Amino acid sequence: MNRIDTVVSGGCQCGALRYRATAMLDNSHVCHCRMCQKATGNIFSALVAAPDEALSWTRGKPSVWKSSELVERGFCANCGTPLFFHHVENGRTNLMIGTLDDPNAFPPHANICTENMVAWFDTITDIENTGATESNGAAWAAAIKASNNQHPDHDTSEWEVKGREG
């Protein structure tokens, strides 16, 4: 696994948590294990690692749940965004690619734990593509945009976390 000296940032949906990494590893992958499926509420988890010493939390601290003796999973306690998978003994934290400010920067290079891959995974690119939200639901997209509480895809010096209940 090669180290890539680069700076990336990312965070949760609400902006309560932000991170910065000064190096990444070339291990981007899609994991199909049942733990990742459950942790993300999806059929897979897209991950890429940062060396632990290169990763820092620039806003807030994630909540952590130990999904096994060797694995911690981090998430935002406010909005629920799953952020990472951390093997406690290997010195790297696998970040959810979707939480990166630029998720296009690390396309997956491998599928792993494929014994749990859903049977229809290979057909995803064959299903209908209905296009951009703005093209198929302009009024709905405009309403979402006008009331959007999501943090932008870049660091901000200040951010008021919106959308909190209670």
PDB file of all heavy atoms in Angstrom, residues 30 32 42-44 117-129:
ATOM      1  N   VAL A  30     -14.388  -0.900  -2.156  1.00  0.00           N
ATOM      2  CA  VAL A  30     -15.777  -1.070  -1.783  1.00  0.00           C
ATOM      3  C   VAL A  30     -15.858  -2.342  -0.955  1.00  0.00           C
ATOM      4  O   VAL A  30     -15.458  -3.415  -1.414  1.00  0.00           O
ATOM      5  CB  VAL A  30     -16.677  -1.167  -3.041  1.00  0.00           C
ATOM      6  CG1 VAL A  30     -18.094  -1.560  -2.669  1.00  0.00           C
ATOM      7  CG2 VAL A  30     -16.663   0.148  -3.805  1.00  0.00           C
ATOM      8  N   HIS A  32     -18.165  -5.081   1.031  1.00  0.00           N
ATOM      9  CA  HIS A  32     -19.506  -5.643   1.012  1.00  0.00           C
ATOM     10  C   HIS A  32     -19.838  -6.438   2.270  1.00  0.00           C
ATOM     11  O   HIS A  32     -20.857  -7.123   2.310  1.00  0.00           O
ATOM     12  CB  HIS A  32     -19.665  -6.554  -0.213  1.00  0.00           C
ATOM     13  CG  HIS A  32     -19.506  -5.834  -1.505  1.00  0.00           C
ATOM     14  ND1 HIS A  32     -20.562  -5.247  -2.168  1.00  0.00           N
ATOM     15  CD2 HIS A  32     -18.404  -5.586  -2.260  1.00  0.00           C
ATOM     16  CE1 HIS A  32     -20.124  -4.677  -3.284  1.00  0.00           C
ATOM     17  NE2 HIS A  32     -18.815  -4.871  -3.364  1.00  0.00           N
ATOM     18  N   ASN A  42     -26.498   0.672   3.786  1.00  0.00           N
ATOM     19  CA  ASN A  42     -26.395   0.580   2.340  1.00  0.00           C
ATOM     20  C   ASN A  42     -25.924  -0.822   1.971  1.00  0.00           C
ATOM     21  O   ASN A  42     -25.658  -1.639   2.843  1.00  0.00           O
ATOM     22  CB  ASN A  42     -25.414   1.646   1.829  1.00  0.00           C
ATOM     23  CG  ASN A  42     -25.693   2.053   0.407  1.00  0.00           C
ATOM     24  OD1 ASN A  42     -26.158   1.269  -0.408  1.00  0.00           O
ATOM     25  ND2 ASN A  42     -25.408   3.307   0.104  1.00  0.00           N
ATOM     26  N   ILE A  43     -25.765  -1.091   0.700  1.00  0.00           N
ATOM     27  CA  ILE A  43     -25.342  -2.423   0.280  1.00  0.00           C
ATOM     28  C   ILE A  43     -23.836  -2.590   0.279  1.00  0.00           C
ATOM     29  O   ILE A  43     -23.337  -3.692   0.110  1.00  0.00           O
ATOM     30  CB  ILE A  43     -25.922  -2.801  -1.099  1.00  0.00           C
ATOM     31  CG1 ILE A  43     -25.433  -1.827  -2.174  1.00  0.00           C
ATOM     32  CG2 ILE A  43     -27.449  -2.841  -1.027  1.00  0.00           C
ATOM     33  CD1 ILE A  43     -25.714  -2.285  -3.595  1.00  0.00           C
ATOM     34  N   PHE A  44     -23.106  -1.494   0.457  1.00  0.00           N
ATOM     35  CA  PHE A  44     -21.645  -1.541   0.560  1.00  0.00           C
ATOM     36  C   PHE A  44     -21.160  -0.271   1.223  1.00  0.00           C
ATOM     37  O   PHE A  44     -21.911   0.676   1.423  1.00  0.00           O
ATOM     38  CB  PHE A  44     -20.973  -1.712  -0.807  1.00  0.00           C
ATOM     39  CG  PHE A  44     -21.237  -0.587  -1.767  1.00  0.00           C
ATOM     40  CD1 PHE A  44     -20.510   0.599  -1.716  1.00  0.00           C
ATOM     41  CD2 PHE A  44     -22.229  -0.698  -2.737  1.00  0.00           C
ATOM     42  CE1 PHE A  44     -20.757   1.639  -2.591  1.00  0.00           C
ATOM     43  CE2 PHE A  44     -22.472   0.335  -3.630  1.00  0.00           C
ATOM     44  CZ  PHE A  44     -21.742   1.496  -3.557  1.00  0.00           C
ATOM     45  N   MET A 117     -21.824  -9.652  -1.057  1.00  0.00           N
ATOM     46  CA  MET A 117     -22.292  -8.743  -2.101  1.00  0.00           C
ATOM     47  C   MET A 117     -23.734  -9.116  -2.467  1.00  0.00           C
ATOM     48  O   MET A 117     -24.040 -10.288  -2.681  1.00  0.00           O
ATOM     49  CB  MET A 117     -21.395  -8.863  -3.338  1.00  0.00           C
ATOM     50  CG  MET A 117     -21.737  -7.894  -4.450  1.00  0.00           C
ATOM     51  SD  MET A 117     -20.746  -8.182  -5.951  1.00  0.00           S
ATOM     52  CE  MET A 117     -19.126  -7.695  -5.420  1.00  0.00           C
ATOM     53  N   VAL A 118     -24.615  -8.118  -2.510  1.00  0.00           N
ATOM     54  CA  VAL A 118     -25.992  -8.410  -2.897  1.00  0.00           C
ATOM     55  C   VAL A 118     -26.001  -8.901  -4.341  1.00  0.00           C
ATOM     56  O   VAL A 118     -25.198  -8.472  -5.172  1.00  0.00           O
ATOM     57  CB  VAL A 118     -26.926  -7.189  -2.708  1.00  0.00           C
ATOM     58  CG1 VAL A 118     -27.042  -6.808  -1.246  1.00  0.00           C
ATOM     59  CG2 VAL A 118     -26.493  -6.010  -3.546  1.00  0.00           C
ATOM     60  N   ALA A 119     -26.922  -9.804  -4.634  1.00  0.00           N
ATOM     61  CA  ALA A 119     -26.957 -10.470  -5.942  1.00  0.00           C
ATOM     62  C   ALA A 119     -27.116  -9.498  -7.103  1.00  0.00           C
ATOM     63  O   ALA A 119     -26.637  -9.754  -8.202  1.00  0.00           O
ATOM     64  CB  ALA A 119     -28.074 -11.513  -5.960  1.00  0.00           C
ATOM     65  N   TRP A 120     -27.740  -8.367  -6.873  1.00  0.00           N
ATOM     66  CA  TRP A 120     -28.011  -7.424  -7.957  1.00  0.00           C
ATOM     67  C   TRP A 120     -26.974  -6.294  -8.074  1.00  0.00           C
ATOM     68  O   TRP A 120     -27.135  -5.380  -8.884  1.00  0.00           O
ATOM     69  CB  TRP A 120     -29.411  -6.841  -7.817  1.00  0.00           C
ATOM     70  CG  TRP A 120     -29.761  -6.360  -6.439  1.00  0.00           C
ATOM     71  CD1 TRP A 120     -30.386  -7.070  -5.460  1.00  0.00           C
ATOM     72  CD2 TRP A 120     -29.507  -5.063  -5.885  1.00  0.00           C
ATOM     73  NE1 TRP A 120     -30.535  -6.298  -4.327  1.00  0.00           N
ATOM     74  CE2 TRP A 120     -30.009  -5.058  -4.560  1.00  0.00           C
ATOM     75  CE3 TRP A 120     -28.907  -3.903  -6.367  1.00  0.00           C
ATOM     76  CZ2 TRP A 120     -29.935  -3.948  -3.727  1.00  0.00           C
ATOM     77  CZ3 TRP A 120     -28.828  -2.800  -5.538  1.00  0.00           C
ATOM     78  CH2 TRP A 120     -29.346  -2.834  -4.225  1.00  0.00           C
ATOM     79  N   PHE A 121     -25.889  -6.358  -7.321  1.00  0.00           N
ATOM     80  CA  PHE A 121     -24.881  -5.302  -7.348  1.00  0.00           C
ATOM     81  C   PHE A 121     -24.357  -5.029  -8.765  1.00  0.00           C
ATOM     82  O   PHE A 121     -24.228  -3.878  -9.185  1.00  0.00           O
ATOM     83  CB  PHE A 121     -23.713  -5.648  -6.419  1.00  0.00           C
ATOM     84  CG  PHE A 121     -22.597  -4.644  -6.445  1.00  0.00           C
ATOM     85  CD1 PHE A 121     -22.720  -3.436  -5.790  1.00  0.00           C
ATOM     86  CD2 PHE A 121     -21.424  -4.900  -7.137  1.00  0.00           C
ATOM     87  CE1 PHE A 121     -21.700  -2.491  -5.815  1.00  0.00           C
ATOM     88  CE2 PHE A 121     -20.399  -3.965  -7.168  1.00  0.00           C
ATOM     89  CZ  PHE A 121     -20.533  -2.760  -6.508  1.00  0.00           C
ATOM     90  N   ASP A 122     -24.049  -6.066  -9.508  1.00  0.00           N
ATOM     91  CA  ASP A 122     -23.476  -5.905 -10.851  1.00  0.00           C
ATOM     92  C   ASP A 122     -24.441  -5.287 -11.860  1.00  0.00           C
ATOM     93  O   ASP A 122     -24.029  -4.906 -12.950  1.00  0.00           O
ATOM     94  CB  ASP A 122     -22.980  -7.250 -11.387  1.00  0.00           C
ATOM     95  CG  ASP A 122     -21.759  -7.747 -10.638  1.00  0.00           C
ATOM     96  OD1 ASP A 122     -21.032  -6.918 -10.041  1.00  0.00           O
ATOM     97  OD2 ASP A 122     -21.526  -8.968 -10.631  1.00  0.00           O
ATOM     98  N   THR A 123     -25.709  -5.160 -11.511  1.00  0.00           N
ATOM     99  CA  THR A 123     -26.689  -4.611 -12.447  1.00  0.00           C
ATOM    100  C   THR A 123     -26.936  -3.118 -12.249  1.00  0.00           C
ATOM    101  O   THR A 123     -27.694  -2.515 -13.003  1.00  0.00           O
ATOM    102  CB  THR A 123     -28.036  -5.353 -12.315  1.00  0.00           C
ATOM    103  OG1 THR A 123     -28.614  -5.045 -11.031  1.00  0.00           O
ATOM    104  CG2 THR A 123     -27.865  -6.851 -12.469  1.00  0.00           C
ATOM    105  N   ILE A 124     -26.296  -2.511 -11.251  1.00  0.00           N
ATOM    106  CA  ILE A 124     -26.592  -1.116 -10.917  1.00  0.00           C
ATOM    107  C   ILE A 124     -26.387  -0.177 -12.102  1.00  0.00           C
ATOM    108  O   ILE A 124     -27.201   0.718 -12.341  1.00  0.00           O
ATOM    109  CB  ILE A 124     -25.757  -0.657  -9.691  1.00  0.00           C
ATOM    110  CG1 ILE A 124     -26.270  -1.353  -8.445  1.00  0.00           C
ATOM    111  CG2 ILE A 124     -25.823   0.853  -9.514  1.00  0.00           C
ATOM    112  CD1 ILE A 124     -25.446  -1.095  -7.208  1.00  0.00           C
ATOM    113  N   THR A 125     -25.331  -0.361 -12.853  1.00  0.00           N
ATOM    114  CA  THR A 125     -25.085   0.550 -13.975  1.00  0.00           C
ATOM    115  C   THR A 125     -26.041   0.319 -15.138  1.00  0.00           C
ATOM    116  O   THR A 125     -26.102   1.142 -16.056  1.00  0.00           O
ATOM    117  CB  THR A 125     -23.630   0.440 -14.467  1.00  0.00           C
ATOM    118  OG1 THR A 125     -23.372  -0.911 -14.832  1.00  0.00           O
ATOM    119  CG2 THR A 125     -22.660   0.895 -13.392  1.00  0.00           C
ATOM    120  N   ASP A 126     -26.802  -0.769 -15.107  1.00  0.00           N
ATOM    121  CA  ASP A 126     -27.759  -1.064 -16.181  1.00  0.00           C
ATOM    122  C   ASP A 126     -29.140  -0.487 -15.926  1.00  0.00           C
ATOM    123  O   ASP A 126     -29.971  -0.468 -16.832  1.00  0.00           O
ATOM    124  CB  ASP A 126     -27.894  -2.581 -16.378  1.00  0.00           C
ATOM    125  CG  ASP A 126     -26.600  -3.222 -16.844  1.00  0.00           C
ATOM    126  OD1 ASP A 126     -25.774  -2.521 -17.470  1.00  0.00           O
ATOM    127  OD2 ASP A 126     -26.414  -4.413 -16.560  1.00  0.00           O
ATOM    128  N   ILE A 127     -29.413  -0.024 -14.700  1.00  0.00           N
ATOM    129  CA  ILE A 127     -30.757   0.473 -14.413  1.00  0.00           C
ATOM    130  C   ILE A 127     -30.934   1.891 -14.957  1.00  0.00           C
ATOM    131  O   ILE A 127     -29.971   2.581 -15.281  1.00  0.00           O
ATOM    132  CB  ILE A 127     -31.083   0.408 -12.906  1.00  0.00           C
ATOM    133  CG1 ILE A 127     -30.141   1.281 -12.091  1.00  0.00           C
ATOM    134  CG2 ILE A 127     -31.075  -1.031 -12.425  1.00  0.00           C
ATOM    135  CD1 ILE A 127     -30.457   1.315 -10.590  1.00  0.00           C
ATOM    136  N   GLU A 128     -32.175   2.306 -15.060  1.00  0.00           N
ATOM    137  CA  GLU A 128     -32.502   3.610 -15.626  1.00  0.00           C
ATOM    138  C   GLU A 128     -31.807   4.744 -14.873  1.00  0.00           C
ATOM    139  O   GLU A 128     -31.777   4.769 -13.649  1.00  0.00           O
ATOM    140  CB  GLU A 128     -34.013   3.825 -15.582  1.00  0.00           C
ATOM    141  CG  GLU A 128     -34.452   5.149 -16.143  1.00  0.00           C
ATOM    142  CD  GLU A 128     -35.948   5.390 -16.022  1.00  0.00           C
ATOM    143  OE1 GLU A 128     -36.629   4.593 -15.344  1.00  0.00           O
ATOM    144  OE2 GLU A 128     -36.414   6.388 -16.592  1.00  0.00           O
ATOM    145  N   ASN A 129     -31.258   5.695 -15.606  1.00  0.00           N
ATOM    146  CA  ASN A 129     -30.677   6.912 -15.053  1.00  0.00           C
ATOM    147  C   ASN A 129     -31.656   8.034 -15.357  1.00  0.00           C
ATOM    148  O   ASN A 129     -31.792   8.440 -16.510  1.00  0.00           O
ATOM    149  CB  ASN A 129     -29.313   7.185 -15.688  1.00  0.00           C
ATOM    150  CG  ASN A 129     -28.668   8.443 -15.161  1.00  0.00           C
ATOM    151  OD1 ASN A 129     -29.322   9.301 -14.567  1.00  0.00           O
ATOM    152  ND2 ASN A 129     -27.386   8.583 -15.395  1.00  0.00           N
TER     153      ASN A 129
END
